Amino acid sequence: MTKTFFYTLIFFSLSSLAQDKVQINLAARFASRTILRGAEVFPGSGLFIGPSFAYKKFQLRGPNISYQHFQRKDSHVFNVGSRLIRDGAPMIRLSDHTDDYRNQRESSFEFYLRYRYKFGFRNKFYVGAEFARDLIEYRSSYSELHLWVPFLPFTTINYKLAHGTKKTNQFLYGPEAVPGFTHQAFALRFVIPKLPWPGIIINTLETTWI
């Protein structure tokens, strides 16, 4: 089952407080449909708006918190964090679609580890992996392999391959799901770095299949 969708992230840098460099940002995310790891949970378009806070190597986005050990310019990038995953309707619905069987999962709260190795021209290529473990709902694991390749200026092609346990895949795809490699995704990502305000825009066109 193949699905294609588009989403845009718009970041506004609001301020840095004092000498400790507490950064406050505002993000707006538009998506043509909501996809959760290959599973469509809301077929209509929607918008999310929320703040984020960064202090040194820590970042807080809503209920999600992360720590990044290395600097972004380094070849090695390691993140550890936790995140809440829910499959309900978008914060702001931009279609008349209502809730249905596709978005009736309970919320999941994950602990995750992510590693990326950047290389090549200006460190624009990278390979990476992520491991996540749910702590409150299905209490099992999920992992991904990532590959990023630069295509044009400010543009990359991304590939993702995912693997889940039986409990994880049943939570995501239904009671008949089996353990193993679940979904793959190709994405074309284009960044607009120069704007009239401090911030960036990230546009992504993604095709995913189970």
Side-chain angles (χ1 to χ4, degrees):
M1 185 179 298
T2 301
K3 306 173 188 70
T4 299
F5 63 108
F6 173 82
Y7 58 94
T8 296
L9 285 167
I10 306 175
F11 291 95
F12 303 85
S13 180
L14 299 181
S15 64
S16 295
L17 303 180
Q19 297 181 352
D20 289 333
K21 301 295 183 181
V22 177
Q23 297 178 349
I24 304 174
N25 301 303
L26 181 66
R29 183 183 190 272
F30 165 82
S32 61
R33 61 207 298 191
T34 303
I35 306 293
L36 174 61
R37 293 172 174 170
E40 183 177 59
V41 297
F42 196 83
S45 58
L47 181 67
F48 171 85
I49 301 174
S52 67
F53 306 89
Y55 175 71
K56 295 184 177 179
K57 297 182 178 182
F58 292 90
Q59 188 168 77
L60 178 67
R61 294 179 179 175
N64 306 331
I65 188 170
S66 65
Y67 169 82
Q68 181 168 298
H69 183 66
F70 298 99
Q71 300 294 326
R72 292 185 62 183
K73 64 181 180 181
D74 294 336
S75 294
H76 300 275
V77 180
F78 177 75
N79 297 81
V80 58
S82 61
R83 60 191 170 207
L84 179 69
I85 295 177
R86 55 182 298 273
D87 70 354
M91 174 187 288
I92 302 172
R93 303 187 192 200
L94 301 178
S95 71
D96 57 2
H97 183 79
T98 58
D99 293 345
D100 58 24
Y101 69 94
R102 285 172 285 197
N103 43 56
Q104 299 302 314
R105 300 172 186 82
E106 297 294 331
S107 295
S108 168
F109 187 75
E110 290 184 344
F111 169 80
Y112 69 89
L113 301 170
R114 181 190 301 134
Y115 172 75
R116 294 175 179 175
Y117 174 67
K118 299 186 291 185
F119 61 96
F121 177 71
R122 295 184 178 179
N123 275 358
K124 295 298 183 181
F125 295 81
Y126 88 64
V127 293
E130 180 177 308
F131 174 83
R133 174 87 181 182
D134 172 70
L135 304 177
I136 63 172
E137 182 55 33
Y138 56 92
R139 301 190 180 186
S140 197
S141 59
Y142 171 87
S143 56
E144 292 180 347
L145 297 176
H146 300 161
L147 172 65
W148 283 41
V149 177
F151 178 58
L152 293 170
F154 308 113
T155 306
T156 57
I157 296 176
N158 313 331
Y159 172 73
K160 175 169 59 180
L161 174 64
H163 182 278
T165 65
K166 183 177 181 178
K167 287 184 178 180
T168 301
N169 293 344
Q170 287 178 336
F171 173 80
L172 291 170
Y173 311 116
E176 297 182 356
V178 297
F181 291 100
T182 53
H183 81 278
Q184 302 178 64
F186 274 106
L188 181 66
R189 184 174 184 262
F190 174 64
V191 177
I192 304 175
K194 295 183 179 181
L195 301 168
W197 64 86
I200 61 172
I201 296 177
I202 302 174
N203 302 293
T204 304
L205 178 65
E206 181 171 321
T207 296
T208 181
W209 64 95
I210 301 174

